[in-house]
Amino acid sequence: MEDLKKKAAEEAGKQIKDGMIVGIGTGSTVKHLIEYLAQTKPRIVAIPTSKDTEEKLKQAGIKIGNINELIPDIAIDGADEVDPQKNLTKGGGGALTREKVIDYLAKKFIVIVDEDKIVQQLGEKHPLPVEVLPFAYERVRKELEEKFERVVKRDFVTDNGNYILDCHGKIKEPEKLELMLNNIPGEVENGLFTRNVSEVIVGTKEGIKRL
Ligand code: 5RP
């Protein structure tokens, strides 16, 4: 799958031009994009979605910008699952909150995945990550357990100092669920991305496909 991730990342990378403000996602697919940027050296300002990505971008010699001062012309990010309506689940790497801020603000949001990430219904293969305040995580967990088959706390602290609860089970009505989860006090953000996706670039064994 690594070669398919790389193909998708490089295809998206071609859309990055000198002078652009570029949101850069997190994960193993995005790692290929950063390697591509290290080789092609476009004169861009990158806005990283995690500390890990920021470190990798700095090592690649890419200038770093701040989301409070700049709006990305384009954001490129991976996903855990993509459904036929281009709804996504994200957050396998635990960076979902910063990713959502940057991906939703971007003028164009491109998703890069390998073909294994394409599903008929979200929740088929991966749980939905929900970032929660440590202060109230048991309270949030109880609410989530009413909505999902199983909720598992990840042994992980996010860049924002919060916990992740992985919610297992197939997802009906992702748009409604995204908003409903954001209404739970103590929930910080969830890994459902149902807005702003411009294009999904899929690396497949037959070549690049687009949704
Ligand atoms: C990180 C993410 C990633 O984009 C998602 O988990 C996909 O990762 P990978 O490219 O390693 O398969 O949302 O929070």
Side-chain angles (χ1 to χ4, degrees), residues 2 5 25-32 49-50 76-81 89-97 99 103 111-114 117 126 129 154 156 164 191 193:
E2 264 337 283
K5 290 181 181 186
T26 297
S28 57
T29 315
V30 166
K31 185 168 160 270
H32 293 293
T49 55
S50 63
I76 304 178
D77 203 346
D80 296 311
E81 290 184 337
T89 57
K90 289 184 47 55
L96 60 115
T97 300
E99 288 174 334
D103 297 345
V111 180
I112 47 176
V113 289
D114 63 76
K117 306 281 184 65
H126 286 274
R154 211 184 288 181
F156 175 81
I164 296 279
F193 285 54

Side-chain angles (χ1 to χ4, degrees), residues 8 17 21 31 71 75 80 88 133 145 195 210:
K17 308 284 180 221
I21 313 293
K31 185 168 160 270
I71 298 278
D80 296 311
L88 320 173
L133 288 180
E145 278 169 348
R195 286 184 273 143
R210 289 181 152 82

Side-chain angles (χ1 to χ4, degrees), residues 38-92:
Q39 285 161 16
T40 53
K41 302 215 181 312
R43 274 170 289 154
I44 59 168
V45 177
I47 306 184
T49 55
S50 63
K51 290 180 183 169
D52 182 61
T53 291
E54 180 167 350
E55 195 48 46
K56 288 189 170 81
L57 286 165
K58 281 180 179 164
Q59 279 169 16
I62 308 283
K63 199 172 163 192
I64 305 293
N66 181 333
I67 195 63
N68 286 308
E69 290 162 6
L70 300 166
I71 298 278
D73 295 299
I74 187 171
I76 304 178
D77 203 346
D80 296 311
E81 290 184 337
V82 180
D83 79 5
Q85 287 74 42
K86 294 190 291 188
N87 296 311
L88 320 173
T89 57
K90 289 184 47 55

Side-chain angles (χ1 to χ4, degrees), residues 196-208:
N196 207 36
V197 176
S198 314
E199 187 180 16
V200 181
I201 299 180
V202 190
T204 79
K205 290 181 203 79
E206 291 77 44
I208 292 292

